[in-house]
């Protein structure tokens, strides 16, 4: 559970408050990108199966913003996210 002093909170409410997310396998938003990071804790998302990386999580529809399961669980009610089926 997150607290107001949680180190992971760095003004994400400016772009993730009430966002629509999908639970899906990781795919980069552009061909120049081979990985992304959780918007909160920084854990790495990747398709190449590196040890310690995630291959699925919650994403905005443009696949530009990624959130890991733990951060989703910790911040879902505070950010009032809506989860829709993967398109």
């Amino acid at each position: 559970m997150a607290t107001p002093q949680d180190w992971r909170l760095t003004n994400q409410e400016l772009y993730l408050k009430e966002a629509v997310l999908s639970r899906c396998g990781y795919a980069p938003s552009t061909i120049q990108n081979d990985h992304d990071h959780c918007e909160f804790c920084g854990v790495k998302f990747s398709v190449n199966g590196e040890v310690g990386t995630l291959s699925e999580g919650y994403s905005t529809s443009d696949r530009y913003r990624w959130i890991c399961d733990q951060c989703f669980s910790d911040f879902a009610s505070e950010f009032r996210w809506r989860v829709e089926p993967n398109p």
Side-chain angles (χ1 to χ4, degrees):
M1 176 149 198
T3 64
Q5 302 82 21
D6 194 307
W7 64 272
R8 297 172 293 173
L9 294 173
T10 57
N11 297 315
Q12 293 94 333
E13 69 276 359
L14 299 175
Y15 53 91
L16 283 173
K17 193 75 157 189
E18 299 180 355
V20 176
L21 305 173
S22 295
R23 175 95 169 108
C24 53
Y26 174 73
S29 59
T30 66
I31 58 171
Q32 295 85 10
N33 194 15
D34 68 347
H35 74 278
D36 281 287
H37 295 272
C38 175
E39 292 292 322
F40 294 88
C41 70
V43 70
K44 187 175 180 180
F45 287 90
S46 176
V47 293
N48 63 14
E50 284 179 57
V51 174
T53 64
L54 301 178
S55 60
E56 57 184 39
Y58 291 87
S59 174
T60 53
S61 61
D62 59 3
R63 302 220 178 204
Y64 186 71
R65 309 254 183 222
W66 286 86
I67 302 166
C68 73
D69 290 341
Q70 184 62 58
C71 290
F72 178 85
S73 175
D74 290 346
F75 297 112
S77 62
E78 178 179 347
F79 279 75
R80 297 191 304 273
W81 290 319
R82 189 173 78 234
V83 177
E84 293 190 344
N86 200 2

